[in-house]
Amino acid sequence: MAAKDNYCVIMGGGIGSRFWPFSRESHPKQFLDFFGTGRSLLQMTYDRFKRFVPEENILIVTNESYAAKVKEQLPEIGADQILCEPTRRNTAPCIAYASYHIFARNPKANIIVAPSDHLILREEEFVRAASEALEFVADHEQLVTLGIRPSRPETGYGYIQMAEEKVGNFIRVKTFTEKPNAEMAAVFLASGEFLWNSGMFVWNVGSILEAFRKYLPEVTSALESGMANYNTPQEQAFIEQAFPYCPSISIDFGVMEKADNVLVMPVDFGWADLGTWGSLYELADKDQDANATLKTRALFYEAERNIVTTDNPDKLVVVQGISDCIIAESENVLLICRSEEEQRIKHFLADAALKYDKEYN
């Protein structure tokens, strides 16, 4: 397998509303530097993949309103490496569009697909596993997903149940399961049969396009009608017209849960999906009372298990008598929310938009 046949698709078009008020519609979480490293989540993801994928083969799929931000953060990539969606249609149409674009460039391409907002702590192990998966799909018409060995009964992730059949380091998938409750998550962990669904996929371009034709014909009917336009100056005009006809559906629900050629590769490379304040709290350094601060200064009195952050590193936050809370200030919004209620942040954002138009989005 030649390295020139390896491609990467980074999905970077989401709003990240669960990280409000830091993540805004105008500047969502993939463009933020949560840890003060000087690199945003998108930049860290790009850095990770360029270690084993030719840089000219790394594509960013994003909403057209974020194209300038992508170019600003990744000035080294060409304009033809930024694929712009005219509207949000979830992950299946996003991946289908990128796959047709790549097929027009290289019909033998092997593709790894990943979100732009994941954290991976052991990058050497990630590079090894991802490279092995790319090599595997070059010779096997299988759809591969990377499954994370669970370390706790997590209720915030989807799960993958493994069957007994193995193909080398790859295992046949028995079922995909949505986010479980705490009791079921404990059962999954104890059984040893379940992995966390990382949302990262590896396949040959021909295999995934065949799966779209079989399981999501409404996507292929919209995007396949203009095959001659891909990788040409006419591509964007065609996508502007065709993409909105795609249904809004995830790749998991639309393809992976239906296909009979899905394998999972169990991996353990220090993965975290930075989807919620809770996931960020898990990763952050904490004091003796389990309080975490991110890029800010804080004093705590009779306070435990809080996460505190502001967008002003010189601001001092004093917390007294409050525990188990998210305290986040960014620009014109201060959020104080019980950690166990963080799923309501989307509702808070929606209510703010209703009452104050889009002033706080």
Side-chain angles (χ1 to χ4, degrees), residues 67-86:
K69 283 190 181 295
V70 172
K71 187 61 179 170
E72 179 186 333
Q73 292 208 346
L74 298 173
E76 61 267 46
I77 69 174
D80 61 341
Q81 292 173 256
I82 304 172
L83 305 186
C84 296
E85 301 171 326

Side-chain angles (χ1 to χ4, degrees), residues 23-311:
S23 184
R24 306 287 183 103
E25 189 169 344
S26 60
H27 196 68
K29 67 175 177 177
Q30 59 268 29
F31 301 111
L32 300 177
D33 172 14
F34 278 103
F35 299 99
T37 63
R39 300 291 278 174
S40 70
L41 295 178
L42 173 64
Q43 290 169 321
M44 291 168 68
T45 302
Y46 180 84
D47 294 345
R48 188 179 305 133
F49 281 107
K50 74 179 184 181
R51 296 180 59 181
F52 61 97
V53 175
E55 289 190 61
E56 64 272 18
N57 291 357
I58 300 176
L59 305 179
I60 317 295
V61 187
T62 191
N63 187 272
E64 59 186 15
S65 60
Y66 301 143
K69 283 190 181 295
V70 172
K71 187 61 179 170
E72 179 186 333
Q73 292 208 346
L74 298 173
E76 61 267 46
I77 69 174
D80 61 341
Q81 292 173 256
I82 304 172
L83 305 186
C84 296
E85 301 171 326
T87 187
R88 293 182 176 88
R89 286 293 183 266
N90 213 318
T91 54
C94 164
I95 290 168
Y97 169 26
S99 299
Y100 283 118
H101 176 91
I102 291 169
F103 184 82
R105 289 175 58 176
N106 183 349
K108 297 190 298 181
N110 308 301
I111 306 170
I112 182 165
V113 179
S116 58
D117 55 359
H118 287 182
L119 186 70
I120 289 171
L121 300 177
R122 294 193 290 279
E123 294 207 350
E124 293 295 336
E125 176 58 23
F126 171 76
V127 170
R128 186 205 64 75
S131 299
E132 181 182 346
L134 283 166
E135 197 168 314
F136 177 82
V137 299
D139 300 317
H140 298 81
E141 294 182 6
Q142 304 286 337
L143 308 179
V144 171
T145 181
L146 303 184
I148 311 298
R149 297 188 187 279
S151 57
R152 60 185 184 277
E154 174 62 54
T155 59
Y157 299 151
Y159 284 73
I160 300 167
Q161 186 178 18
M162 296 175 283
E164 293 185 4
E165 180 188 347
K166 292 186 178 182
V167 184
N169 289 329
F170 303 84
I171 301 171
R172 188 72 58 196
V173 170
K174 192 172 183 179
T175 58
F176 285 86
T177 303
E178 294 300 310
K179 298 172 183 177
N181 59 31
E183 184 180 1
M184 192 57 67
V187 171
F188 287 174
L189 181 65
S191 75
E193 296 178 14
F194 290 82
L195 304 168
W196 288 335
N197 185 351
S198 73
M200 289 185 277
F201 309 99
V202 189
W203 40 53
N204 180 271
V205 67
S207 300
I208 190 58
L209 289 179
E210 182 57 34
F212 274 113
R213 293 185 193 105
K214 188 172 182 180
Y215 303 110
L216 280 178
E218 56 270 52
V219 170
T220 55
S221 65
L223 299 183
E224 210 164 86
S225 60
M227 287 294 286
N229 297 294
Y230 290 106
N231 206 33
T232 76
Q234 288 74 48
E235 176 175 307
Q236 191 58 42
F238 167 70
I239 288 297
E240 291 280 343
Q241 174 267 321
F243 196 81
Y245 287 99
C246 293
S248 181
I249 189 169
S250 71
I251 190 70
D252 293 274
F253 188 69
V255 174
M256 303 301 281
E257 293 182 14
K258 299 172 182 175
D260 57 8
N261 61 334
V262 179
L263 301 177
V264 63
M265 184 185 195
V267 292
D268 183 8
F269 38 61
W271 171 88
D273 173 7
L274 292 181
T276 63
W277 286 109
S279 62
L280 206 54
Y281 173 80
E282 289 290 331
L283 292 163
D285 293 332
K286 302 172 188 67
D287 67 12
Q288 67 274 15
D289 294 313
N291 292 301
T293 55
L294 293 172
K295 296 195 302 181
T296 195
R297 297 171 176 175
L299 295 173
F300 296 95
Y301 303 91
E302 301 89 48
E304 300 175 333
R305 300 176 299 279
N306 297 291
I307 181 168
V308 176
T309 185
T310 76
D311 54 13

Side-chain angles (χ1 to χ4, degrees), residues 17-21 23-24 277 325-328 333-361:
S17 56
R18 289 180 294 179
F19 267 121
W20 186 73
S23 184
R24 306 287 183 103
W277 286 109
C325 279
I326 300 158
I327 303 168
V333 176
L334 168 64
L335 169 76
I336 303 172
C337 170
R338 300 288 296 177
S339 299
E340 64 190 27
E341 300 282 353
E342 71 167 327
Q343 72 277 5
R344 296 176 62 189
I345 290 176
K346 279 188 174 184
H347 304 300
F348 303 156
L349 173 57
D351 288 346
L354 276 174
K355 190 167 185 178
Y356 302 107
D357 199 16
K358 289 201 167 185
E359 185 178 348
Y360 301 105
N361 279 27

